């Protein structure tokens, strides 16, 4: 008997993702289990609700496993956040009033929308289960726990929203979570090991309906036609870190420029993917100077991966995209360049090492690692 059958013959599963990776995981999970369940989805904590790309694709996706899709904002700050959340609570209450949930699946049990749904749903269904769907780094590195800050946060949320609030030390560790669906369950932090562990099968992400979803996401951001054809023949894709992280990485721009010049002189076909939070298109002017293919920066890397050729090399650094590469495209050769002289970059070494990402100390070494 699988985990769905243990609840009831055809459970009602409500997915509440917020990040791009968690949206993709929810999509793949829902497609795989579509014959065994009914499903709806609520996009939570979205900065943009008027023109949200994920919402548009989910609403217009052929053969969608979701009977209905909703979207909730997460734009307010300060005191306005309380009003926004309480308005969201009313919408969520109506969702589960008409869709009697048996399972609520989230990428973070620290999201107040998830905990609100769980406490409300438990009043209707004592057997209601909470599932944690892998959202990357926190599953394996944990979250820094600050007892004073977290205690104050917990007290405030209990006072404002209700005594049902729990403050888990790391994502997925709260008592609301029964199951943890992970890419690498055996490598998860100990708090998640205490849950009922389930494995996300990478074959789910190559299912035809999931591929259609990914293609539509790419098209909405402009990754189609000639650009897509060019990307499908690249030798190397370089990931540019968050603008704030670049400032913490001494000499980063100069080092990446030298590396790109080397690749250019060797005739390599190179693509560059800026971080989605990049302040402008091609801030380092790499396209004009080195002839690289620019992948749309706002498109999440998870949706770029299926379009890379099997021989492509992925060069990254302090971000988590190399973890996604290892999970979703394990046949690709990914290398993290971490400067040993930088305390900021060194801090990522144990995490990436534990998750078996190849690490080198310079772009010269990356070139040797990739092309030896």
């Amino acid at each position: 008997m699988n985990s769905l059958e243990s609840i009831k013959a055809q459970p009602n599963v409500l997915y509440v993702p917020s990040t791009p990776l968690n949206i993709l995981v929810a999509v793949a999970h829902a497609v795989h289990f579509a014959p065994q369940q009914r499903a709806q989805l609520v996009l939570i904590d979205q900065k943009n609700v008027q023109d949200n790309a994920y919402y548009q694709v989910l609403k217009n996706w052929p053969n969608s496993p979701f009977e209905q899709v909703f979207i909730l904002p997460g734009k307010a700050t300060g005191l306005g956040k309380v009003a926004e959340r309480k308005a969201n609570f009313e919408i969520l209450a109506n969702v589960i009033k008409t869709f009697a949930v048996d399972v609520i699946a989230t990428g973070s049990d620290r999201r107040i929308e998830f905990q609100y749904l769980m406490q409300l749903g438990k009043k209707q269904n004592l057997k209601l289960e909470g599932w944690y769907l892998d959202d990357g780094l926190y599953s394996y590195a944990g979250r820094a726990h600050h007892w004073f800050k977290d205690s104050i946060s917990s007290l405030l949320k209990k006072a404002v929203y209700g005594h049902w609030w729990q403050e888990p030390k790391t994502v997925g560790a709260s008592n609301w979570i029964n199951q943890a669906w992970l890419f690498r369950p055996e490598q998860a932090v100990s708090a998640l090991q205490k849950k009922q562990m389930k494995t996300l099968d990478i074959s789910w992400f190559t299912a035809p309906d999931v591929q259609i979803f990914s293609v539509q996401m790419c098209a909405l951001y402009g990754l189609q036609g000639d650009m897509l054809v060019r990307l499908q023949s690249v030798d190397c894709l370089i990931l540019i870190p968050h603008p704030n992280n670049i400032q913490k990485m001494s000499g980063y721009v100069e080092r990446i420029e030298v590396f790109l010049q080397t690749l250019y002189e060797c005739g390599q076909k190179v693509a560059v993917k800026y971080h989605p939070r990049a302040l402008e298109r091609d801030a380092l002017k790499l396209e004009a100077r080195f002839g690289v293919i620019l992948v749309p920066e706002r498109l999440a890397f998870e949706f770029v991966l299926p379009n890379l050729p099997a021989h492509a090399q992925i060069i990254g650094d302090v971000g988590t995209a190399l973890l996604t590469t290892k999970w979703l495209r394990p046949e690709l050769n990914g290398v993290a360049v971490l400067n040993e002289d930088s305390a900021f970059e060194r801090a990522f070494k144990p995490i990436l090492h534990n998750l078996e990402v190849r690490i080198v100390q310079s772009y010269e070494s990356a070139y040797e690692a990739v092309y030896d």
Side-chain angles (χ1 to χ4, degrees), residues 158-207:
K158 286 179 184 290
V160 174
Y161 302 111
H163 289 286
W164 44 262
W165 172 258
Q166 297 179 26
E167 191 80 16
K169 290 185 177 181
T170 193
V171 177
S174 74
N175 293 331
W176 297 119
I177 298 297
N178 301 91
Q179 295 184 16
W181 290 80
L182 305 174
F183 287 105
R184 296 286 187 274
E186 70 282 357
Q187 295 175 325
V189 293
S190 58
L192 291 180
Q193 297 283 354
K194 297 174 184 177
K195 307 298 181 180
Q196 186 180 358
M197 307 289 278
K198 300 289 180 179
T199 302
L200 293 169
D201 191 322
I202 61 171
S203 68
W204 300 353
F205 295 83
T206 57

Side-chain angles (χ1 to χ4, degrees), residues 239-284:
L239 298 160
I240 306 296
H242 191 292
N244 291 346
N245 289 341
I246 290 177
Q247 299 301 316
K248 301 173 186 176
M249 301 163 70
S250 178
Y252 171 82
V253 175
E254 292 78 8
R255 288 183 282 124
I256 200 71
E257 288 174 338
V258 171
F259 184 52
L260 281 169
Q261 183 64 36
T262 300
L263 296 177
Y264 178 76
E265 292 172 355
C266 293
Q268 297 294 308
K269 296 178 181 178
V270 180
V272 167
K273 171 73 171 66
Y274 281 86
H275 192 279
R277 296 291 178 87
L279 300 178
E280 60 181 291
R281 183 183 183 276
D282 198 13
L284 303 181

